[in-house]
Amino acid sequence: GGAWRSTPQEWRFASEFAWDDGGTTSPPLDTQPDDLIELIGSYSSDVLEPSHLGRLARTSTCMRRLLAELLETLRADRKAALLLSRKVAPSLADFLRERPTAIFASGKNITEADAPTLGHWLRSEASSQLELLNLSDNPLGSAGADAIAAATTTGSQRRLKRAGGLKHLRSLFLSGTELGVDGMRHLAACIGDGGLPSLEWLFLGNNAVGDDGAKALAEGLAEKEAPALKTLHLADNGIRDAGIVALMATAAEGKLASIEELVLEKNRFGDAGADALTASISKGSLPKLKYLKR
């Protein structure tokens, strides 16, 4: 085959460092690869002024050291990914080959310590077609929620060009994952940024999010309507009147217009919360609601 050729962007990166001598002799940033090769040749022929090639050699040494460090980190991350694969998928090889649309990993003891590796999994191109992610009954904590949020379409543009950003995710099961208020805030911010545009089913029961968590979710939904959201489960979260009132205020803004199923049982709201729910229904703020469990 032909010789390997680097991209113009890579050459520009190299040129900035290899010829950095105060800007007096650095090639322009739009120097093309062929021109740069010719320039290197001209420097190598000047035996009286060989300093430029010395700088290039030092840069190459630095780059080798940097790549060695990156490879060491990559090996450690991949080892952790292989260990997590025992909980998430039959095997990493199968996952990479099949590009699944669903991950069923409830009750697999995926912990906060696994959160960084879980983030790697979800940011991978191999996860770009996911439609269902079931991580219920794992002690993920707020770090797990942060990892999920960081893998969505709210991530950096560079990463999104490489990965899918969970833009196809329709079902997210996170009941009993110890999210707490901070975890709910991570997810709410992600929703508020439009990070889960296809989400239809969201299960967040038994996470001790309380009023503050419910308010955070309400704010996230108010910031960016979740147009596909049909099902919202918030059972057993210690939500009182203030949390329910905040959610219904968001409904009054038309941000929960697609909700068909709302589960609020085993919470702690009283008359004020119940009245807010009744008013939302009577005023048509939940026009598609078919099932309410409180």
Side-chain angles (χ1 to χ4, degrees):
W4 176 84
R5 300 294 296 276
S6 63
T7 67
Q9 291 80 10
E10 290 166 337
W11 275 110
R12 288 174 193 142
F13 173 80
S15 69
E16 286 185 89
F17 289 88
W19 283 272
D20 184 13
D21 58 355
T24 58
T25 59
S26 297
L29 291 180
D30 60 352
T31 300
Q32 296 301 306
D34 290 340
D35 297 332
L36 203 51
I37 291 172
E38 183 178 346
L39 188 58
I40 292 173
S42 68
Y43 284 146
S44 66
S45 65
D46 188 348
V47 297
L48 300 181
E49 199 88 70
S51 59
H52 299 299
L53 284 182
R55 292 190 185 95
L56 178 59
R58 287 194 295 274
T59 300
S60 298
T61 300
C62 290
M63 290 299 294
R64 284 197 297 272
R65 188 180 303 117
L66 174 61
L67 287 172
E69 293 172 357
L70 289 173
L71 284 171
E72 184 177 352
T73 300
L74 182 61
R75 289 190 188 100
D77 289 343
R78 183 169 175 79
K79 182 178 179 180
L82 287 169
L83 291 173
L84 186 60
S85 72
R86 299 173 184 175
K87 303 177 181 180
V88 173
S91 75
L92 182 57
D94 289 342
F95 188 85
L96 292 173
R97 182 179 63 255
E98 296 173 5
R99 299 292 200 268
T101 59
I103 290 178
F104 296 93
S106 62
K108 298 292 186 179
N109 196 34
I110 302 172
T111 69
E112 281 194 282
D114 293 316
T117 305
L118 176 64
H120 290 312
W121 270 77
L122 297 179
R123 289 195 299 271
S124 171
E125 177 64 27
S127 299
S128 64
Q129 299 304 311
L130 277 179
E131 296 181 11
L132 184 151
L133 178 60
N134 188 346
L135 295 171
S136 288
D137 300 318
N138 289 294
L140 292 172
S142 63
D146 191 24
I148 294 168
T152 68
T153 54
T154 59
S156 70
Q157 289 303 309
R158 179 177 296 179
R159 187 175 67 210
L160 288 178
K161 289 177 181 177
R162 184 193 67 209
L166 300 182
K167 60 179 176 289
H168 300 297
L169 193 68
R170 299 172 60 201
S171 303
L172 180 58
F173 294 80
L174 293 174
S175 295
T177 51
E178 302 179 13
L179 297 183
V181 176
D182 287 341
M184 182 65 91
R185 284 174 177 154
H186 290 313
L187 287 176
C190 162
I191 292 171
D193 287 337
L196 293 167
S198 302
L199 193 64
E200 296 182 31
W201 294 278
L202 181 58
F203 295 80
L204 298 171
N206 188 26
N207 276 300
V209 302
D211 281 346
D212 288 342
K215 290 177 182 178
L217 180 59
E219 290 171 3
L221 290 167
E223 183 70 23
K224 181 74 172 183
E225 179 185 358
L229 191 62
K230 297 178 180 178
T231 297
L232 179 59
H233 278 228
L234 290 169
D236 196 13
N237 268 304
I239 302 172
R240 298 178 183 271
D241 288 332
I244 300 299
V245 169
L247 285 167
M248 293 306 102
T250 296
E253 296 177 14
K255 303 297 186 177
L256 296 177
S258 60
I259 288 290
E260 298 178 3
E261 180 176 339
L262 181 60
V263 177
L264 297 169
E265 64 178 333
K266 298 182 181 178
N267 281 296
R268 299 179 182 178
F269 59 92
D271 291 341
D275 290 345
L277 275 168
T278 301
S280 290
I281 295 171
S282 63
K283 292 178 181 179
S285 298
L286 296 166
K288 294 187 177 181
L289 188 65
K290 299 176 182 177
Y291 179 81
L292 172 64
K293 191 165 186 179
R294 60 183 188 181

